[in-house]
Amino acid sequence: MQAAQSTIDQHEVAKFEAMAAEWWDPNGKFKPLHMLNPCRLDYITRQIAAEFDRDLSSDAPFSGLRILDIGCGGGLLSEPMARLGADVVGADAAERNIPVARVHAEQSGLNIDYRHTTAEALAASGEQFDAVLNMEVVEHVADPQEFLNVCAALLKPGGLHVCSTINRNLKSYGMAIIGAEYVMRWLPKGTHEWSKFITPDELYGFLSKAGLNPVDRKGFVFNPVSWSWSLSDRDLSVNYVTAAVKPG
């Protein structure tokens, strides 16, 4: 049990358990994720489609693919993946998130395998996936390298790992903490710890050391005029996302 929980930061888990009931409230504590979700879904679906040669305009384009949404929360990513035909496992270390996710999936007519578990426990049981979605999680774990090692172990050869997180610099401190938590009050104070943020080069290094081949990275950029997010090839200064492939 100790080994299976090695990268879990219980303090971080407690933060998200306290907000569990608000996952599907677009104006609640997860408003930033609801705003970002269309942009990150666009990136994720395009990466999966390219890697597995799927046509996104077809019915159930991800049929036959097994996808893990690690740190699934209330299911904001799991549900769209299921609608695209994937066999989805949504896993979260915060126990209170799972009932919320299950109820919403049932109400939406979706069959999603939600589990209160960890990446380590899934790997120990021999689970394997075509794609692992690791979105806004790595900055909340106790040991990012070990966590990514486990995520890599969960991938089938040729599998795709998509990971988003927050850069570590003065701009990210101003926007992700001062702006989001203190000025806009989108998130409770203390949701993020700046020291846990990870630079793109650091994340690429972690991924490579885990045995994955990083193939792409993009920035998520917020436009305060249009009040929307977009992808950027150049601006990775705050939020960003990476794609990596397991050899074989």
Side-chain angles (χ1 to χ4, degrees):
M1 183 63 68
Q2 182 75 25
Q5 303 261 344
S6 61
T7 66
I8 298 300
D9 186 324
Q10 294 297 343
H11 177 64
E12 295 287 337
V13 170
K15 291 180 188 177
F16 288 93
E17 284 200 320
M19 299 185 285
E22 297 194 44
W23 272 107
W24 288 97
D25 180 357
N27 295 308
K29 292 184 172 66
F30 294 103
K31 181 177 181 177
L33 278 184
H34 282 273
M35 294 170 63
L36 176 59
N37 217 35
C39 187
R40 64 178 188 168
L41 277 171
D42 180 56
Y43 183 85
I44 291 167
T45 54
R46 289 175 184 272
Q47 289 293 325
I48 294 175
E51 184 62 29
F52 298 101
D53 193 23
R54 301 301 176 97
D55 180 0
L56 288 172
S57 66
S58 66
D59 292 334
F62 293 169
S63 178
L65 295 179
R66 191 165 192 247
I67 296 178
L68 171 65
D69 181 9
I70 192 71
C72 64
L76 299 186
L77 288 175
S78 294
E79 290 200 7
M81 294 300 107
R83 288 192 181 94
L84 290 169
D87 176 10
V88 180
V89 174
D92 205 298
E95 186 174 7
R96 293 181 187 175
N97 287 340
I98 299 304
V100 173
R102 285 175 178 161
V103 168
H104 198 275
E106 289 171 5
Q107 292 172 341
S108 303
L110 297 170
N111 183 19
I112 299 173
D113 182 3
Y114 284 118
R115 308 182 197 178
H116 171 227
T117 189
T118 64
E120 289 86 352
L122 289 167
S125 63
E127 298 269 5
Q128 291 272 278
F129 300 89
D130 297 290
V132 172
L133 308 183
N134 180 5
M135 310 296 285
E136 290 83 46
V137 176
V138 70
E139 72 271 20
H140 296 289
V141 302
D143 186 337
Q145 181 64 73
E146 181 56 31
F147 175 63
L148 292 170
N149 291 347
V150 175
C151 288
L154 286 163
L155 280 173
K156 298 176 183 178
L160 176 70
H161 179 269
V162 183
C163 180
S164 64
T165 189
I166 306 176
N167 202 342
R168 188 181 67 255
N169 51 42
L170 288 178
K171 183 177 179 180
S172 69
Y173 182 84
M175 294 186 69
I177 295 181
I178 300 300
E181 297 182 14
Y182 288 83
V183 178
M184 300 304 295
R185 297 184 181 180
W186 282 339
L187 295 167
K189 295 175 183 177
T191 298
H192 290 111
E193 294 180 32
W194 185 78
S195 62
K196 287 192 170 186
F197 291 173
I198 300 168
T199 70
D201 287 344
E202 287 171 345
L203 184 55
Y204 258 31
F206 290 150
L207 293 168
S208 297
K209 192 173 180 180
L212 301 176
N213 292 333
V215 294
D216 187 65
R217 61 185 181 187
K218 296 280 192 298
F220 290 134
V221 179
F222 182 68
N223 186 327
V225 177
S226 63
W227 210 246
S228 63
W229 292 84
S230 62
L231 288 168
S232 172
D233 291 323
R234 297 182 178 180
D235 188 353
L236 283 72
S237 57
V238 185
N239 298 80
Y240 67 96
V241 61
T242 64
V245 177
K246 186 170 184 176

